[in-house]
Amino acid sequence: MPVSLNYVVKRTVWALLVIIGVIVFSYIFLYLAPGDPAYIWAGRPRGVNATIAIMNARRELGLDKPLPVQILLFIKNVFTGNMGVSIEYKQPVSVIIWRGLTATLELLIIAYLIGVSLGVLLGIYSALKRNTRLDHGLQVLAITLANAPSFWLAIGLIVALAYLTGFTGYGRVDTRLAIATGFRPITGFYLLDSLIEGNIPVFIDVLLRILPPAIIVATYPLGLGIRMARALIAETLGEEYVKAAIAWGVKRRTVIWRYAFKGTIPSLTQVLGLAFAYSLVDAMIVEIVFGREGLGSLAYHIIGKSDFPLVIGLMITVTAFYIIVNTLADILQAMIDPRVRL
Amino acid sequence: MVLNSEPVVETRDLSIGYLDEYDRVWWVVIGVNLRINEGETYCIVGESGCGKSTLGNALIGILPPYAETRGIIRIMGEEIVRDDKHCYWKSRGRIVSYIPQNPGKALHPFMTIHVQFKHLYRARGLRLDDRGVAEKASRILELVGLDPDEVLDSYPHELSGGMQQRAAIAMAVSTGAKIIVADEPTSSLDANLRLQILKLLRKIKEELGITLIMITHDLVQASKNCERIGVMYAGRIVEEAPVKEIFRNPQHPYTQLLLETVPVLGVVKELKTIPGEPPRPGEYPPGCPFHPRCPFRIDKCSREEPVLRKINGKHYVSCWLR
Amino acid sequence: MTIEKSRMQKRIRGIKELFSRAWKRRPVFRAGVVIALTLLFMAILGPFIAPYPSEGWGIPPATSRGAQPPSPEHPFGTDAAGRDILSRILIGAGMALFQIAVVVSVSLAIGLLVGSVAAYYGGVMEKILNYFTETFMAFPAIIVALALNSLFGRGLMVVLLSLIITWWSWYARIAYVNARSTREMEYVLLAELSGLPRYRILFRHILPNISTPVIVQAITDTGSVLLEAASINFLGLGLPTDYPDWGVLVQNGFNYIYSYPWISLIPGAFILVAALGLSMLGDSLREEMDPRLRRRWRLWF
Ligand SMILES: Nc1ncnc2c1ncn2[C@@H]1O[C@H](COP(=O)(O)OP(=O)(O)OP(=O)(O)O)[C@@H](O)[C@H]1O
Ligand SMILES: [Mg+2]
């Protein structure tokens, strides 16, 4: 099926426009704040070096130029990966964020692998057993999971694991083990890295540490998957093509999977893509509770510290992630459905 | 053609209703007795909502689970439904097949025609590789007047409406069933295609010796293809006769009025509409269901319901006036 | 004028009817109503029925008892400063409802206006407003709260503002989609022909017509708003440490989860049940509105 560039280009340009909007909004945010933007950008400095820091910030932001030029400059800086230097960490914002993003993404991806597959399966099962006690039970489970505050679930799991197994060590990897086995991150995705290096002990360690938080992050896609898959399957089962397939004698299992389920895939892709983008923040919160490194802990450590460049960097990153994932999900959805002439 | 004395499709006092949210039953088909012989084309004609599709679905065995049935359906001598016991689904699709009303919706949008044929052959227990499927499907596609090379690897939306309907007919035939229920097979097509599809149905029926049950709301179409017509009103068969007989000598007032709404080529006449509206399920009037709209009604019509009686040969009618 | 009135009544009957039908048929809806009413009851009476009101408001007792596990005097135990958790939860219910009410009503107002204006006026206005809507949909509330926090420090304003900034766009989207279909409706065209000013058509004809789906959506959202507000407060971005807010309560126990887990776990359970009840309410209403979801059946083939 030919993927026409037209749709992809249109969708991409729109996403870029929205990202630019986000960047502009972030800048205006800084500008509207009470006080001197340069003073804020420099991290509200005090003491002897304050004047120099403020002057540097002024130059960096181009505050002597008119506002539109400032904004353009800022956009250019963001797109070239120059988002300033974190006041708290004394490192370029883009470097810190990239490090944190890989950690959080690893958690998010593992969580979605668990949550989506299980959720969709249970949802289909629920639709097939519609209006039985099992179906009702699954629906209650789903709506509960989708509404449970993840930080609370995380605390509950930590407490339960501590009481049951005595395990309290979280974080991404056991540092001593990593040093002993000579583990060195390459991509930043530790599961992948340890596999590439063939470092099985570290792989197991990383996996064991990622599973509890991943299970918590997975509750949302699990609940959503159950509800969406059930609703969508129930809808496609009422379609004329399912009726015709049954009338032509197609086997029950084929009807369910090859006819009804196949019909739900584009919508599922879109909904779960949206949820994936949305869950980044969820993963950040869970990271904070579990004390894992990642975007979440980055944000948590600078609360109340007026590290403004990093805050803006985080805001742009998380928002851009949302937009990009959403756009990808839309394009993917259109590619799956042969009727959509792209 | 061998005319069996035993009908291939037979229903006895078949009533079908749908359960609503409060578990009340809304009867939409009431006491239908059909006897359809092998190789025959039988046509069920009636206004929208009179229960034609419901009756057809019952014969195919695809009534939804919230439907309620009473009476007996016997197909090829085998009892498939008796008072709400659906015991038919094991051989569903192999004995009775189905031609959909809207082929655009009845073919799966995400699978090529080739893949859909593959699933149909699998359903019959045939394990064929891709080439085998293509060969077998090609023969049927050619029969329905499609170019297999063009159609097999297309998605349904890439075909025109007429081609979709031909593909759907090919699929219906490929199940190997000898009885086919066609639910308004032409109503989503334009006038020219309509004739072509009707012709195609006739050809297939003759070549493969198929018993065809056509459902339509159009008397003209019915007259083109069929041997016998059953006129349905408010869930009942109110008149049943061979085509010529129906046109020449309609007995039920509803049939007569229905005929007056049909334009006849070359004859200038005033086309009439039937006054009033057909009753909705659950609001069927007592006595003869047609009496509120009937110009010839007598007192008895609103009190007692007439039964289908033979008036001559193969002509049956349910009306107190006959 | 009379036509106007009759339509208003019809619309209200629509929502009322929706409620009564859902009540009759949906156990999930009944459960949601019970939970929502309990929440309301707690919010109104909380300050009066709380066993230790001053502790509930955040003032530690004169002689600190330290963290105590649940006991007859303190059914939910006490926190590290010795405050009775039950009292804090009871008083926190009002705070939760207050945040939900402000956020939902303000974003609903903004969203309805923006969405319907975009749909009705069309043209450049439509493009620009949709662009804004889409941009703001991308912001997560917690990140906005982080930015606001680094500018203004902690406070109620941070919670409310960050949630409003991020929620209005969702209502704008729904309002836009619904209003676009009303724009072509007959009586709107008639009103236009009769020379009514456009803004009056907007307020009289378009807004009343799209409000039912948007309001049902808003009811569904109350649960999510509660969850997001709780997250913001839990992270310490919003309300200050001693505030009687459920999210803050969970935060208060966060440092003691191994030794005194009840300080965090019990208030968190209240967040879960409240959010669950509120979204059950909205979900069942939505299902009741959509006839496709209403049919009862089982798989038969
Ligand atoms: N799946 C269903 N559930 C509930 N009621 C149904 C269902 N299908 C049909 N009905 C009702 O049964 C009655 C008869 O419907 P049916 O589809 O058999 O009529 P029809 O004669 O085929 O009409 P049409 O010409 O419009 O296809 C209608 O009043 C319809 O509302
Ligand atoms: Mg029909």
Side-chain angles (χ1 to χ4, degrees):
Chain A
M1 181 224 24
V3 180
S4 123
L5 245 58
N6 197 5
Y7 176 80
V8 178
V9 167
K10 244 195 225 159
R11 204 68 192 75
T12 313
V13 168
W14 179 249
L16 267 179
L17 277 179
V18 175
I19 290 179
I20 288 174
V22 167
I23 297 172
V24 172
F25 175 77
S26 310
Y27 191 79
I28 290 180
F29 210 64
L30 171 72
Y31 216 84
L32 290 182
D36 180 7
Y39 175 63
I40 297 173
W41 190 253
R44 299 194 172 103
R46 293 240 178 81
V48 275
N49 289 331
T51 345
I52 302 172
I54 293 175
M55 263 170 59
N56 277 343
R58 200 173 291 281
R59 197 157 20 92
E60 206 174 308
L61 293 173
L63 286 182
D64 46 345
K65 302 188 178 81
L67 186 61
V69 179
Q70 289 174 35
I71 291 179
L72 284 180
L73 190 69
F74 189 68
I75 294 173
K76 195 202 101 198
N77 279 342
V78 171
F79 274 101
T80 50
N82 173 14
M83 293 195 270
V85 176
S86 159
I87 288 140
E88 198 59 27
Y89 293 87
K90 313 256 187 298
Q91 280 179 23
V93 167
S94 45
V95 173
I96 312 177
I97 287 187
W98 178 250
R99 216 184 304 134
L101 187 63
T102 50
T104 309
L105 266 186
E106 185 171 36
L107 174 63
L108 193 57
I109 290 170
I110 297 292
Y112 264 67
L113 287 181
I114 301 172
V116 167
S117 48
L118 202 62
V120 169
L121 273 180
L122 287 176
I124 294 171
Y125 192 62
S126 191
L128 300 184
K129 300 271 169 199
R130 190 153 148 170
N131 283 336
T132 61
R133 207 172 287 158
L134 201 137
D135 173 36
H136 294 312
L138 274 175
Q139 290 311 305
V140 171
L141 175 75
I143 190 169
T144 311
L145 287 180
N147 279 293
S150 49
F151 56 89
W152 178 73
L153 284 179
I155 292 175
L157 186 62
I158 291 176
V159 171
L161 282 181
Y163 275 102
L164 294 177
T165 66
F167 181 69
T168 56
Y170 293 104
R172 295 186 69 189
V173 64
D174 183 347
T175 331
R176 258 178 300 167
L177 182 71
I179 292 170
T181 55
F183 172 70
R184 299 193 63 80
I186 309 165
T187 58
F189 295 92
Y190 285 5
L191 282 174
L192 195 66
D193 292 342
S194 57
L195 274 187
I196 292 174
E197 293 171 18
N199 195 338
I200 298 304
V202 168
F203 179 79
I204 292 173
D205 184 56
V206 172
L207 192 65
L208 281 182
R209 281 160 194 271
I210 209 171
L211 272 184
I215 287 171
I216 303 297
V217 178
T219 51
Y220 182 68
L222 181 62
L224 189 72
I226 293 177
R227 287 160 61 76
M228 284 314 297
R230 175 182 184 268
L232 290 172
I233 283 274
E235 202 171 296
T236 46
L237 279 176
E239 291 277 356
E240 191 71 15
Y241 55 75
V242 168
K243 182 180 157 189
I246 298 166
W248 290 333
V250 177
K251 294 256 161 43
R252 181 189 162 106
R253 183 194 296 218
T254 318
V255 169
I256 291 168
W257 290 103
R258 299 301 178 83
Y259 285 77
F261 177 61
K262 198 177 241 170
T264 66
I265 289 178
S267 313
L268 270 182
T269 312
Q270 204 174 22
V271 171
L272 292 173
L274 190 76
F276 184 78
Y278 176 82
S279 282
L280 183 70
V281 175
D282 221 29
M284 287 168 65
I285 295 176
V286 172
E287 267 172 1
I288 293 171
V289 178
F290 276 88
R292 283 171 65 86
E293 304 130 57
L295 284 186
S297 335
L298 270 187
Y300 196 57
H301 285 139
I302 54 166
I303 291 176
K305 298 253 173 72
S306 63
D307 185 348
F308 213 78
L310 187 51
V311 169
I312 292 288
L314 277 171
M315 183 141 108
I316 293 174
T317 309
V318 173
T319 317
F321 176 80
Y322 180 90
I323 296 164
I324 291 169
V325 170
N326 243 330
T327 308
L328 285 181
D330 273 358
I331 293 176
L332 198 65
Q333 180 238 9
M335 279 167 62
I336 295 171
D337 188 338
R339 282 171 305 181
V340 180
R341 271 181 219 281
L342 291 171
Chain B
M1 201 191 300
V2 190
L3 262 185
N4 238 332
S5 57
E6 187 77 358
V8 287
V9 175
E10 186 183 7
T11 69
R12 282 258 190 83
D13 289 327
L14 179 67
S15 298
I16 305 162
Y18 292 110
L19 289 172
D20 69 1
E21 296 151 88
Y22 307 103
D23 280 338
R24 276 180 312 208
V25 187
W26 299 82
W27 295 105
V28 299
V29 169
I30 295 163
V32 167
N33 291 297
L34 291 178
R35 288 173 69 85
I36 298 167
N37 298 316
E38 192 175 350
E40 191 179 22
T41 308
Y42 187 89
C43 203
I44 302 170
V45 182
E47 277 170 295
S48 188
C50 68
K52 308 181 297 285
S53 297
T54 304
L55 180 57
N57 289 348
L59 299 179
I60 306 161
I62 52 173
L63 281 179
Y66 52 87
E68 185 76 16
T69 43
R70 295 275 173 279
I72 297 172
I73 299 178
R74 206 178 281 147
I75 287 180
M76 310 278 251
E78 189 190 355
E79 212 163 81
I80 59 160
V81 172
R82 166 170 225 139
D83 289 349
D84 219 20
K85 297 253 175 352
H86 297 249
C87 48
Y88 181 51
W89 55 271
K90 266 180 217 139
S91 51
R92 184 191 285 126
R94 275 182 244 163
I95 297 175
V96 182
S97 187
Y98 167 67
I99 296 176
Q101 169 174 8
N102 189 342
K105 285 186 182 158
L107 302 177
H108 199 292
F110 299 170
M111 286 190 262
T112 58
I113 303 294
H114 180 270
V115 175
Q116 305 198 33
F117 267 109
K118 190 175 76 191
H119 289 313
L120 292 185
Y121 290 136
R122 287 250 174 93
R124 282 172 64 186
L126 302 175
R127 293 249 146 222
L128 298 171
D129 59 355
D130 279 354
R131 189 125 47 79
V133 171
E135 266 169 32
K136 216 166 155 55
S138 298
R139 243 172 291 145
I140 296 183
L141 286 173
E142 270 162 17
L143 182 72
V144 300
L146 286 174
D147 176 11
D149 298 333
E150 185 191 345
V151 171
L152 267 178
D153 287 321
S154 319
Y155 287 96
H157 72 272
E158 293 165 346
L159 307 177
S160 69
M163 288 162 88
Q164 284 173 349
Q165 187 58 291
R166 283 172 197 266
I169 292 173
M171 288 184 193
V173 169
S174 74
T175 59
K178 291 290 177 217
I179 303 169
I180 293 184
V181 176
D183 190 350
E184 311 202 16
T186 58
S187 65
S188 65
L189 305 172
D190 64 41
N192 184 28
L193 282 173
R194 216 168 262 192
L195 286 180
Q196 287 182 15
I197 294 291
L198 284 180
K199 230 184 248 166
L200 172 65
L201 282 176
R202 199 156 47 211
K203 176 180 141 197
I204 284 179
K205 183 183 113 66
E206 266 150 32
E207 274 183 29
L208 304 175
I210 280 171
T211 310
L212 188 64
I213 300 168
M214 276 253 292
I215 296 173
T216 174
H217 52 246
D218 183 353
L219 263 175
V220 181
Q221 269 190 43
S223 70
K224 293 249 160 62
N225 261 24
C226 300
E227 284 141 34
R228 272 195 307 150
I229 289 182
V231 179
M232 207 165 171
Y233 185 81
R236 295 135 174 109
I237 299 277
V238 293
E239 181 163 9
E240 184 189 276
V243 180
K244 286 199 185 114
E245 182 79 9
I246 285 267
F247 276 82
R248 212 181 299 134
N249 182 21
Q251 288 296 313
H252 199 279
Y254 176 64
T255 318
Q256 292 167 358
L257 286 169
L258 212 53
L259 279 171
E260 282 180 34
T261 65
V262 175
V264 180
L265 204 65
V267 180
V268 183
K269 66 168 186 180
E270 199 185 341
L271 285 183
K272 289 189 184 154
T273 53
I274 306 177
E277 280 189 14
R280 287 197 299 252
E283 295 170 5
Y284 295 152
C288 171
F290 188 61
H291 83 259
R293 298 167 81 188
C294 182
F296 314 112
R297 65 170 167 269
I298 53 177
D299 277 354
K300 197 176 181 188
C301 294
S302 56
R303 277 184 278 112
E304 268 177 81
E305 189 176 341
V307 289
L308 205 60
R309 279 177 309 119
K310 186 177 199 161
I311 37 178
N312 60 50
K314 288 179 169 176
H315 198 156
Y316 296 79
V317 68
S318 76
C319 181
W320 288 126
L321 297 173
R322 311 295 155 191
Chain C
M1 202 55 209
T2 49
I3 298 169
E4 208 56 44
K5 225 174 204 160
S6 72
R7 195 172 45 248
M8 285 291 286
Q9 277 160 357
K10 194 168 164 208
R11 189 169 53 83
I12 290 166
R13 184 142 34 85
I15 276 196
K16 261 192 198 158
E17 219 178 87
L18 197 64
F19 270 74
S20 73
R21 263 207 328 239
W23 174 265
K24 260 186 246 145
R25 281 209 294 256
R26 296 191 175 268
V28 173
F29 182 77
R30 286 198 290 271
V33 169
V34 169
I35 292 174
L37 286 181
T38 312
L39 194 61
L40 194 65
F41 179 77
M42 282 169 68
I44 295 171
L45 295 183
F48 306 107
I49 57 173
Y52 305 88
S54 68
E55 292 174 26
W57 286 107
I59 301 159
T63 51
S64 176
R65 297 161 286 229
Q68 288 173 21
S71 65
E73 301 102 86
H74 303 288
F76 293 155
T78 63
D79 66 10
R83 291 172 293 203
D84 179 48
I85 291 177
L86 173 63
S87 306
R88 306 211 72 199
I89 288 175
L90 280 173
I91 289 176
M95 203 58 227
L97 273 197
F98 173 73
Q99 292 174 58
I100 294 174
V102 172
V103 169
V104 172
S105 52
V106 174
S107 6
L108 194 60
I110 302 175
L112 269 177
L113 197 68
V114 172
S116 52
V117 165
Y120 182 54
Y121 284 84
V124 185
M125 184 81 116
E126 182 177 355
K127 290 256 155 56
I128 292 176
L129 288 179
N130 277 346
Y131 175 67
F132 267 101
T133 308
E134 189 118 335
T135 306
F136 277 85
M137 276 169 100
F139 281 104
I142 290 170
I143 300 293
V144 175
L146 178 69
L148 286 173
N149 176 279
S150 70
L151 287 178
F152 306 110
R154 283 179 160 197
L156 182 60
M157 245 12 226
V158 172
V159 186
L160 298 182
L161 261 186
S162 60
L163 283 170
I164 291 169
I165 287 177
T166 49
W167 276 102
W168 70 265
S169 51
W170 296 90
Y171 298 125
R173 166 55 53 88
I174 299 168
Y176 172 75
V177 170
N178 283 295
R180 256 208 358 192
S181 51
T182 6
R183 186 172 63 178
E184 262 84 53
M185 287 218 273
E186 219 168 307
Y187 58 90
V188 173
L189 294 178
L190 273 179
E192 247 166 37
L193 283 179
S194 72
L196 218 62
R198 304 191 98 186
Y199 69 94
R200 300 219 8 214
I201 300 178
L202 188 66
F203 277 96
R204 277 213 180 159
H205 297 277
I206 302 221
L207 276 179
N209 247 295
I210 58 176
S211 52
T212 307
V214 182
I215 285 172
V216 169
Q217 181 63 41
I219 294 175
T220 317
D221 282 349
T222 49
S224 319
V225 170
L226 175 65
L227 280 181
E228 296 236 324
S231 307
I232 291 172
N233 291 324
F234 166 73
L235 292 177
L237 295 169
L239 295 168
T241 326
D242 286 331
Y243 238 79
D245 173 272
W246 293 351
V248 175
L249 291 187
V250 180
Q251 169 68 46
N252 285 345
F254 185 43
N255 287 331
Y256 312 101
I257 51 172
Y258 292 117
S259 31
Y260 318 128
W262 62 87
I263 306 180
S264 281
L265 289 181
I266 292 175
F270 274 82
I271 301 175
L272 166 66
V273 173
L276 183 62
L278 292 174
S279 31
M280 286 191 329
L281 207 65
D283 274 350
S284 46
L285 277 182
R286 212 162 39 179
E287 277 180 33
E288 194 61 39
M289 253 197 342
D290 187 348
R292 274 176 317 171
L293 302 173
R294 228 174 335 177
R295 162 126 291 138
R296 35 177 304 164
W297 57 262
R298 286 206 177 112
L299 200 65
W300 75 98
F301 55 91

